[in-house]
Amino acid sequence: MRVIRTIKEMTDWVDAAKGPIALVPTQGCLHHGHESLLHAAKQDADIQGSVVMSLFVNPLQFRKPAYEAYPRQEQQDLELAENAGVDVVFAPEVCGMYPKARDLDWLFDLQNGQSGPRDRERFTIDHPEDTPEFEYVRVPQRLTHRMDGIDHPWHFDGVATVVRKLFQIIQPNTSYFGLKDIQQLAILQSLNLWMGSPTKIVPIPVVRDHDGLSSSSRLVLLDDEQRSIACQVVEFLNEASRQIRSSRNSVPDVLEGFRDACESIETEHNTLEIDALTYSDSTTLEELDDYSKNGVLYLAYIINGIRLAETLSQ
Ligand code: PAF
């Protein structure tokens, strides 16, 4: 397995590559969910193709304190990638990935909307006034002003900017994203169409631990009581999903019932807060009042400051 640190070296490798390229974009701190993306990429790349995994903690999608606190474990991640059959890990420095950016703080400042207004319907590329060579993708309001985007729409601008750049550098035939991050997936599919990109985006089902919680790097932060609260929340969510499928009650009623059920969970030392709860179309992200086979139930909840998310497709 080769580790590449610069765009120049990466594009040279792409120019010389024979066969299809399957790309798994990551920010490291790999868990079972990433392993399933790598496994799918490996199967598609077959004997002739190559699997590239990017490993880059993207400052554009975090506030500065969260970026600094983000867990980094490169050695462990490289071992996991090698065991999963990855051929190349692309792990650039921030200044290598964004050579036109002035510095790290300048990247964080972009999140404050200084680069221009967001369109309601269309993707746009902004060129900040002081650095016109920098290309910052703005995701339309119709996709950002929902679910996790309500509080931080800039997060998805950061994701779209980095994924567009990775696609331009690596020119993958296929790229793999988890259904767990349903808003990210819908935005990237829409971005891909808008870019007229030849890359096929492959959605990968949610991977769950033995007790039903979806894999996440944050699960290790939970103590026993917190984990048991999370399991009860997921049980209630599964029940809500069953009720929506059976169409016995309207979606708003089911969601209200879910909130009531969560309030009844007894905790000794913890707080439980529902941060986002929606039933939406998985492509347009528009909220639905009735069952749809394209519907997806999304929940973000916070147990004593630890934010977790669940996605249940219908
Ligand atoms: O899902 C993630 O880990 C990130 O948002 C991604 C797609 C790797 C872009 O930084």
Side-chain angles (χ1 to χ4, degrees), residues 10 20 33 45 47 53 60 62-63 84 145 159 163-164 186 201 210 215 228 246 261 268 275 284 291 296 298 304:
M10 191 66 232
I47 333 160
M53 182 185 95
L60 284 178
F62 298 96
R63 289 293 192 204
H145 285 199
V159 172
V163 171
R164 173 175 177 263
I201 289 188
H210 62 282
S215 282
S228 137
S246 78
E268 237 179 273
D275 199 30
T284 64
Y291 166 78
V296 61
Y298 174 75
N304 245 26

Side-chain angles (χ1 to χ4, degrees), residues 183-198:
Q183 187 169 15
Q184 166 169 289
L185 178 65
I187 287 173
L188 293 177
Q189 278 170 325
S190 189
L191 172 74
N192 208 38
L193 269 181
W194 174 75
M195 280 165 45
S197 149

Side-chain angles (χ1 to χ4, degrees), residues 15 25 38 53 64 66 70 104 128 142 146-147 154 163 165-166 219 242 251 256 272 283:
D15 288 345
L38 292 171
M53 182 185 95
K64 192 173 182 180
Y70 192 85
L104 205 51
R142 68 182 161 84
R146 303 176 181 283
M147 300 157 102
W154 47 265
V163 171
K165 197 148 189 197
L166 288 168
L219 289 186
R242 276 192 290 275
V251 170
E256 205 183 305
L272 168 64
T283 306

Side-chain angles (χ1 to χ4, degrees), residues 284-310:
T284 64
L285 301 179
E286 273 165 26
E287 287 194 36
L288 303 168
D289 276 345
D290 298 299
Y291 166 78
S292 155
K293 63 176 178 9
N294 213 21
V296 61
L297 190 53
Y298 174 75
L299 165 73
Y301 62 112
I302 304 171
I303 301 177
N304 245 26
I306 305 168
R307 193 175 190 276
L308 299 165
E310 288 294 339

